[in-house]
Amino acid sequence: VESRGRRITKKEKFLNEKYDAKKITDEYWRIGKKLKRNIVDTSIFLRKSIENGKSVLFEGAQGTHLDVDFGMYPYVTSSNTTVGGVITGLGIPPKYVGKVLGVMKAYTTKVGEGPFPTEIKDNIAKYILEKGNEYGTTTGRPRRIGWLDLNLVKYSVNLSGVNYIAISKIDILSGLDTVKVAYAYRIGNKKIRNLPSRVEDIQKLEPVYREFDGWEFTGKDVKKDIPRNMMKYIRFIEKFTGAKVRILSLGPARENTKLLGPI
């Protein structure tokens, strides 16, 4: 839409529209009456479901380090993204939280600003970016790419009491000669494993890496035995974090998921 030689934005078009308030409220009133019978106190509904022996699955959004209380402030979201969000957001008593499954990528990504100790900016980063389609779902903005930071993963495991781990996009690392994992940091002459509390200090960290030989394994190989080099990578994650890896995602399709054990 053009106006005086310039293009009108969607926002301007929306603000310039004339709306019939009665028509809008009548429509929402009609929809509201349909929804009314399904509106309940969800905390009571969920507690009764659990007490009656039903299985209830809670799924959280966003990562641990975006948590408003325990994330890398100020680069955080406005809610609790740890397992504590189940309690504060849904009214579920802690005693009802059973097994906790943590989901992690086989490498690290980040959207937007903030410290990122294991970030890489070479051809390998471009390879992972394109192969993993690491672009924002809404904005299309490319994500920042880095090697797996196990210090962040272990912090997340401890904070949420993770029992089991699901690793996504491990197939994206297939084809690389070497895969790196950060297991510690150096700051000055000091070697540490925990993130400093100040963002300014996190930006000074130099990751300490363990290198693994690469592998070839994708969703097409889901029924085959896991390659030795990939298994070494997985066992290192388990030993470092104390949580067992139970699920591998080897592609976007449901049938590309490989189970490594019971949950």
Side-chain angles (χ1 to χ4, degrees):
V1 180
E2 300 289 338
S3 177
R4 295 183 181 178
R6 72 174 182 84
R7 189 174 183 82
I8 296 177
T9 65
K10 289 183 179 179
K11 181 178 180 182
E12 288 174 324
K13 184 180 178 182
F14 175 80
L15 293 175
N16 290 332
E17 287 280 354
K18 291 185 178 180
Y19 297 96
D20 186 331
K22 185 177 187 307
K23 183 179 178 181
I24 294 174
T25 54
D26 286 346
E27 182 182 1
Y28 276 86
W29 182 259
R30 178 177 54 79
I31 295 172
K33 286 195 292 184
K34 282 187 176 181
L35 294 175
K36 183 179 179 181
R37 61 179 177 271
N38 297 315
I39 297 175
V40 298
D41 186 320
T42 52
S43 62
I44 295 174
F45 173 80
L46 291 171
R47 286 200 301 273
K48 285 185 177 179
S49 297
I50 295 170
E51 290 164 0
N52 290 332
K54 293 183 179 180
S55 295
V56 180
L57 175 65
F58 304 106
E59 180 185 5
Q62 301 179 314
T64 295
H65 296 276
L66 291 174
D67 188 272
V68 67
D69 294 317
F70 298 99
M72 292 185 188
Y73 186 85
Y75 305 102
V76 296
T77 188
S78 59
S79 60
N80 292 112
T81 60
T82 62
V83 74
V86 173
I87 299 164
T88 59
L90 297 173
I92 300 298
K95 67 178 181 179
Y96 286 141
V97 177
K99 298 173 183 176
V100 180
L101 176 69
V103 182
M104 55 170 276
K105 283 182 184 175
Y107 48 93
T108 307
T109 61
K110 185 176 179 63
V111 176
E113 300 300 319
F116 191 172
T118 64
E119 185 172 13
I120 51 178
K121 298 181 180 181
D122 54 18
N123 288 332
I124 293 177
K126 294 178 182 177
Y127 172 85
I128 294 173
L129 176 72
E130 296 301 329
K131 189 177 179 183
N133 192 30
E134 293 295 349
Y135 293 91
T137 304
T138 304
T139 64
R141 181 171 50 170
R143 297 187 179 106
R144 296 160 66 188
I145 306 293
W147 294 116
L148 179 61
D149 191 332
L150 274 186
N151 307 288
L152 299 184
V153 176
K154 186 172 183 179
Y155 179 85
S156 303
V157 166
N158 291 339
L159 191 61
S160 289
V162 172
N163 306 104
Y164 305 111
I165 290 175
I167 301 180
S168 69
K169 293 195 169 184
I170 197 166
D171 57 302
I172 303 302
L173 298 180
S174 293
L176 295 176
D177 294 331
T178 303
V179 177
K180 296 182 181 181
V181 178
Y183 67 91
Y185 309 109
R186 282 195 181 90
I187 182 167
N189 297 322
K190 191 176 181 182
K191 188 176 179 179
I192 61 175
R193 290 187 183 271
N194 297 319
L195 280 177
S197 57
R198 298 175 67 237
V199 171
E200 293 83 357
D201 291 333
I202 297 176
Q203 292 172 332
K204 301 174 184 176
L205 296 177
E206 178 186 347
V208 180
Y209 289 114
R210 163 81 181 268
E211 294 190 8
F212 294 84
D213 292 331
W215 58 79
E216 290 285 351
F217 199 67
T218 66
K220 297 178 181 179
D221 306 314
V222 68
K223 293 183 179 180
K224 296 180 181 180
D225 291 334
I226 296 173
R228 184 180 179 186
N229 290 341
M230 181 188 279
M231 186 53 74
K232 286 182 179 179
Y233 186 76
I234 292 169
R235 294 298 181 224
F236 188 73
I237 293 172
E238 290 181 327
K239 183 177 180 180
F240 192 92
T241 63
K244 292 293 183 182
V245 176
R246 286 291 189 256
I247 297 175
L248 291 181
S249 176
L250 300 163
R254 185 183 292 270
E255 56 268 23
N256 295 148
T257 299
K258 188 175 185 69
L259 299 178
L260 302 186
I263 297 177

